[in-house]
Amino acid sequence: TVGSLVDRGVLSPECKRIFRLGKDADPSGEGSVLPLYRHQVEAIEAAASGDNYVLTTGTGSGKSLSYIIPIVDRVLREGSGGRIKAIVVYPMNALANSQEEELSKFLCAGYPDGKGPVTFKKYTGQEKDTERQAIIADPPDILLTNYVMLEYILTRNDERPLVARAQGLHFLVLDELHTYRGRQGADVALLCRRARDACAAEAAQCIGTSATLAGEGTLDEQRTEVAEVASRLFGSQVRPGRVIGETLQRVTELPEVSAEFVSRLREAVTDPPDYGPGDYEAFVADPLVRWVESTVGLAEVDGRLVRAEPRTLRGDDGIAAELAECTSTSQEDAAEALRAILIAGSRVLEPSTGRPIFAFKLHQFVSRGSSVYATVEPEDDRVVTLTEQQYAPGDRSKRLYPLAFCRDGGQDYYVVERISDEEGDRLVPRDLGDIDDEDGHRKVGFLYASTTDPWPDDPAGELERVPSDWVEEDRHGNPALRRDMVKLLPQSLWVTPDGHVYPRHQDGAMRAWFVPAPFRFCLWSGASYAPNMRSDIMKMSTLGFEGRSTATTMLTLLVLRFLEAHGRDVPRKLLNFTDNRQDAALQAGHFNDFVQVSLLRAALYRAAAGAGEIALDYTTLAGEVQKALALPMTEYAQNPDASYGAKDDIDRGLREVLAYRLYVDLRAGWRVTAPNLEQAGLLKVDYAYLDELCANETDWAGCHEALVSAKPAVRAEVVRAVLDHLRRDLVVKVDQLDPPTTTRCSTVPTRPSSPRGRSTRWSATSSSAARWCSCGPGSGPTSPTGSACRSGAS
């Protein structure tokens, strides 16, 4: 414990008061004794010797205390204030923020007014200007920062006083050493050298930590490799003997190699007992617990205990299979017993430390979905698989091709490239994103193969299924295919299961149609796309296309919903890490946007379902969605206590925002991986009095002959299709989609120059509700000069 190190004279007496557990929660501020791991004691002793050292222990093993305790001890011996004694550099601000909270528990809790004998401050760029100035004026004993801010401290004139107050620096700490590699590692290595030089701290102790920094080979070889990396980073030698790893000890006794032990182990598998937090003695004596610790938890290498390699629960090489074989039980029983004993081990506490016996971690790797692969054969005969391979299982005469699906109708197409070589004319698989090269040598496209709805052979049948803008009138006034579109028609061919292509019928071949990329229209649904849409990913999808941000958001949402469903008796967190800051910012924005869109769509669906046959129209849409959302005013109002007219104004503003978002969300195709409610078939949008309009022959007099002679049902179908197309492109006349118009007041076009010398323009903004003129600070249509505003605003 810290107390025993104080008694030995390794630490100063005040450390016994500072480093205690639970001081912030204890009304007396005393807390309980802080036990230390062996690697923490070795680090404290290394610091006392003046050597540089590196901690390579696991996550949650108290690496931070391994350098914080020596730093605090040094400050206590020298006295607080005067200058910066230690700079701790973190790769991320989140780690610095977390460390600041931990330091507060030790250095502030239990002292009058929370002011302990050692000062510390965070200087990461997130602080307000007043906070930064206060730190520069009165630097703390311990400065928590990141490598970018340390660079600024060394280069910006405003921060030069910090460098002056860090002369003779005692400690330079790099947390998470493994993050500094490649070019960034070189930058940080040079930064360490410049920092020590600027602070006249050649003798400063350099300390590094990393849970994942390790090398190959024996323990000595690993320490040597880590020491070399750390020495290059710091520019100061780290000896292999000062690379401090973890020391493990058994909780249970070694399993016995006897028939009696196996028999008891079988009983524990078939009928596992239920353990509570206080059942320590019974738990560690359980044969299954002893087997799990020796098989899953620990391994012996060169006569020392190390963490065992992670293993899967299921599978032929899984833990459950090994336990089932050892006990002659089923894998299912073995898996259930392992789950039960691991969960019990996370509840049973070790009496002296109060820590769980099994602090296990489960890792789940979720890979992207694969494509669907199929052979080119009739629908009832073709081989369909989710496993990527060249040929059908057990039959190399049948080639597999990935399938893509039209986003509009779901029709499947083989994603292929047509090539000609010494093997003949044949089809090979390709990626959906592939396009023709500039020389046009590649023939990439899609293969349409349908026995239930084949592409017609006659020109008249083709005209009925191609997009309408492909058709024109010939010189006789008859519909005909445009000449420039002939080359884009589906090309008839015969394909054998091995992928060879023939222009005419062949035995064993299937009739199919080759559609050149980019995909221009769906041969089944008729959905067409503009020629300038080159990317097929916006038009077609595979099972493997989900978008990484969307996949991460969905997994996160599922975990949160699981935690919510299982109560909140224990505080729960979900940490979502990404590769870099840009991805973290993107993921945070994606998740916020996803939640907002999901809430809005859920409220729209609930409002529409609640309206029943009456349905919602544009006058009631926003109000009913607002009711379905049932948001408290604290969620959307700056003044949640507003009442009467002020509350009405706030609610009116919310309805305007909701209406805008609802209309924009109905635009087709703008969310590729999250189609709106209408695209998903959960919402139907129709038009009031459309059937009555189409049935009134008077209203159609003088129109095109095709409309005049058409039956009302046909007219309604045509008009509905046109209106749907316009609406899905947001050609909608509603106030919420009208941009505000701005006109300048003609009375005072330009005000006198502002104090900074810039001219300030004042304008009148008009909207459908009211038009306001900002040409004067007073009420009414009077400008500052006393003349009336001639913009017509009020």
Side-chain angles (χ1 to χ4, degrees):
T1 65
V2 170
S4 64
L5 292 178
V6 170
D7 296 338
R8 287 167 45 195
V10 178
L11 296 176
S12 58
E14 189 64 20
C15 286
K16 187 186 294 187
R17 180 182 176 187
I18 292 174
F19 295 103
R20 301 179 70 84
L21 292 174
K23 289 195 301 177
D24 52 340
D26 187 351
S28 67
E30 294 183 0
S32 57
V33 175
L34 174 67
L36 298 175
Y37 291 118
R38 179 177 293 181
H39 67 265
Q40 292 173 322
V41 175
E42 291 177 355
I44 293 170
E45 292 172 344
S49 70
D51 290 343
N52 303 326
Y53 61 94
V54 175
L55 272 295
T56 60
T57 58
T59 303
S61 60
K63 292 189 295 294
S64 297
L65 281 179
S66 300
Y67 60 79
I68 290 298
I69 292 177
I71 290 173
V72 169
D73 177 66
R74 183 69 175 264
V75 174
L76 292 173
R77 294 178 187 274
E78 287 193 2
S80 177
R83 61 192 179 93
I84 299 172
K85 280 86 171 177
I87 296 177
V88 185
V89 181
Y90 299 93
M92 295 185 295
N93 287 344
L95 295 174
N97 298 339
S98 175
Q99 190 62 65
E100 184 184 37
E101 293 179 11
E102 289 299 311
L103 283 174
S104 298
K105 296 177 183 178
F106 290 114
L107 298 177
C108 299
Y111 286 94
D113 300 326
K115 296 181 179 178
V118 177
T119 60
F120 61 95
K121 291 292 182 182
K122 179 167 62 70
Y123 198 83
T124 61
Q126 295 177 316
E127 298 76 26
K128 297 179 181 178
D129 185 62
T130 53
E131 295 175 305
R132 289 198 298 271
Q133 295 304 323
I135 293 173
I136 293 172
D138 185 18
D141 300 314
I142 305 172
L143 189 70
L144 312 177
T145 187
N146 55 61
Y147 62 91
V148 176
M149 283 306 297
L150 181 57
E151 174 80 29
Y152 289 153
I153 289 172
L154 296 180
T155 56
R156 294 198 300 208
N157 287 332
D158 291 347
E159 273 93 352
R160 295 300 296 174
L162 284 176
V163 178
R165 300 289 290 275
Q167 297 299 298
L169 185 74
H170 292 323
F171 296 95
L172 178 62
V173 182
L174 288 182
D175 195 44
E176 305 290 351
L177 279 179
H178 61 273
T179 60
Y180 306 119
R181 56 184 183 270
R183 188 187 69 180
Q184 186 186 47
D187 289 343
V188 173
L190 292 172
L191 179 63
C192 289
R193 290 158 173 77
R194 290 167 48 222
R196 290 169 49 228
D197 183 58
C199 297
E202 285 300 315
Q205 274 187 287
C206 297
I207 304 171
T209 71
S210 174
T212 59
L213 195 66
E216 300 289 337
T218 65
L219 177 62
D220 289 340
E221 290 171 341
Q222 292 176 12
R223 283 176 168 171
T224 300
E225 187 175 345
V226 172
E228 289 176 357
V229 172
S231 299
R232 285 200 299 272
L233 268 173
F234 287 120
S236 182
Q237 185 184 19
V238 178
R239 294 189 290 109
R242 288 308 189 188
V243 176
I244 301 170
E246 60 190 7
T247 306
L248 306 178
Q249 66 180 24
R250 298 188 61 88
V251 178
T252 68
E253 296 180 2
L254 275 170
E256 305 163 13
V257 184
S258 66
E260 180 187 357
F261 179 82
V262 172
S263 176
R264 291 171 52 211
L265 183 60
R266 186 182 303 111
E267 290 180 17
V269 170
T270 56
D271 186 22
D274 187 23
Y275 293 105
D279 297 331
Y280 172 74
E281 296 295 338
F283 184 79
V284 297
D286 190 305
L288 182 55
V289 175
R290 295 166 62 184
W291 186 90
V292 166
E293 183 176 37
S294 297
T295 308
V296 182
L298 298 174
E300 189 169 321
V301 178
D302 298 333
R304 66 185 182 93
L305 291 175
V306 297
R307 296 175 189 259
E309 288 291 326
R311 297 179 61 185
T312 59
L313 180 65
R314 294 186 175 276
D316 294 338
D317 297 327
I319 311 163
E322 183 175 346
L323 179 59
E325 182 180 359
C326 178
T327 57
S328 301
T329 57
S330 68
Q331 285 196 30
E332 189 59 39
D333 288 342
E336 289 299 322
L338 286 168
R339 285 196 192 96
I341 210 69
L342 287 171
I343 292 173
S346 68
R347 293 195 300 257
V348 178
L349 305 179
E350 206 280 327
S352 62
T353 63
R355 297 189 177 106
I357 302 299
F358 288 160
F360 67 91
K361 296 174 184 174
L362 296 179
H363 296 263
Q364 183 177 24
F365 295 91
V366 183
S367 63
R368 61 176 293 171
S370 179
S371 294
V372 180
Y373 296 87
T375 56
V376 183
E377 295 178 287
E379 291 89 341
D380 294 337
D381 300 328
R382 63 181 175 179
V383 177
V384 180
T385 178
L386 293 175
T387 303
E388 183 176 4
Q389 49 195 314
Q390 282 189 308
Y391 303 100
D395 190 349
R396 293 181 62 85
S397 67
K398 295 182 178 181
R399 190 77 182 258
L400 287 169
Y401 299 90
L403 291 179
F405 303 90
C406 172
R407 291 186 181 274
D408 184 77
Q411 175 63 39
D412 57 275
Y413 294 83
Y414 297 91
V415 185
V416 298
E417 179 179 357
R418 190 172 177 178
I419 63 174
S420 297
D421 54 19
E422 62 276 4
E423 296 184 28
D425 195 7
R426 57 195 177 93
L427 300 176
V428 295
R430 68 174 181 91
D431 291 330
L432 180 59
D434 288 350
I435 59 175
D436 287 331
D437 55 24
E438 294 182 359
D439 297 329
H441 294 154
R442 296 188 67 186
K443 296 180 181 179
V444 299
F446 303 90
L447 192 70
Y448 175 77
S450 174
T451 58
T452 58
D453 193 16
W455 185 254
D457 290 323
D458 60 297
E462 288 183 328
L463 286 178
E464 291 181 1
R465 295 180 61 167
V466 297
S468 58
D469 58 348
W470 287 31
V471 180
E472 63 183 3
E473 289 186 354
D474 60 17
R475 60 182 179 178
H476 303 296
N478 298 318
L481 187 70
R482 286 168 43 188
R483 292 183 180 180
D484 58 332
M485 294 299 174
V486 172
K487 62 181 180 182
L488 301 179
L489 282 174
Q491 303 164 21
S492 175
L493 42 82
W494 293 82
V495 184
T496 57
D498 63 0
H500 281 83
V501 175
Y502 301 93
R504 288 174 295 277
H505 173 73
Q506 295 285 327
D507 291 339
M510 180 183 180
R511 179 79 180 278
W513 291 265
F514 181 79
V515 181
F519 191 69
R520 289 173 174 82
F521 76 101
C522 179
L523 278 62
W524 180 80
S525 69
S528 61
Y529 303 94
N532 58 355
M533 285 186 65
R534 297 286 299 172
S535 174
D536 287 326
I537 293 176
M538 299 290 289
K539 314 164 194 174
M540 311 193 78
S541 179
T542 67
L543 283 193
F545 181 81
E546 77 292 325
R548 188 170 60 179
S549 296
T550 302
T552 304
T553 292
M554 292 303 300
L555 290 170
T556 301
L557 186 63
L558 289 172
V559 172
L560 291 173
R561 293 182 67 177
F562 177 85
L563 295 177
E564 179 73 21
H566 287 72
R568 296 192 173 186
D569 53 328
V570 178
R572 291 175 169 89
K573 296 182 193 175
L574 176 66
L575 295 181
N576 189 340
F577 289 91
T578 58
D579 292 341
N580 52 59
R581 298 179 187 179
Q582 289 81 2
D583 280 355
L586 173 65
Q587 192 64 54
H590 186 281
F591 192 79
N592 287 335
D593 184 58
F594 182 89
V595 170
Q596 191 175 63
V597 169
S598 299
L599 283 174
L600 189 69
R601 291 177 176 177
L604 174 59
Y605 183 82
R606 179 177 295 178
E613 294 297 326
I614 302 174
L616 302 172
D617 64 23
Y618 73 98
T619 63
T620 60
L621 176 66
E624 293 303 315
V625 170
Q626 182 184 7
K627 290 179 185 177
L629 274 175
L631 292 174
M633 285 192 68
T634 52
E635 294 292 329
Y636 62 88
Q638 284 186 330
N639 178 18
D641 298 324
S643 57
Y644 307 118
K647 183 179 184 302
D648 291 342
D649 289 341
I650 293 172
D651 285 340
R652 188 182 303 112
L654 175 62
R655 286 194 294 274
E656 290 291 304
V657 172
L658 288 176
Y660 172 79
R661 293 297 301 268
L662 288 167
Y663 285 119
V664 169
D665 194 43
L666 286 178
R667 185 174 63 194
W670 76 295
R671 292 183 183 275
V672 178
T673 56
N676 61 41
L677 295 183
E678 185 182 15
Q679 291 172 294
L682 297 174
L683 185 74
K684 180 181 178 182
V685 181
D686 212 336
Y687 307 95
Y689 309 111
L690 178 61
D691 292 330
E692 291 85 344
L693 170 67
C694 293
N696 190 340
E697 300 294 341
T698 305
D699 290 329
W700 296 91
C703 294
H704 192 282
E705 176 60 28
L707 293 173
V708 173
S709 60
K711 295 180 180 180
V714 174
R715 284 195 203 118
E717 183 180 357
V718 172
V719 174
R720 188 174 281 109
V722 172
L723 292 177
D724 283 344
H725 177 73
L726 295 174
R727 176 177 53 78
R728 289 166 184 164
D729 281 338
L730 288 190
V731 186
V732 181
K733 179 67 177 107
V734 287
D735 291 342
Q736 290 82 7
L737 294 182
D738 284 340
T741 57
T742 301
T743 58
R744 195 175 63 205
C745 173
S746 58
T747 304
V748 190
T750 305
R751 267 200 139 191
S753 297
S754 66
R756 293 182 181 271
R758 292 194 293 266
S759 176
T760 305
R761 293 193 176 276
W762 297 76
S763 61
T765 302
S766 64
S767 70
S768 59
R771 292 199 295 163
W772 301 91
C773 178
S774 57
C775 65
S779 61
T782 304
S783 70
T785 60
S787 58
C789 171
R790 294 198 293 271
S791 68
S794 59

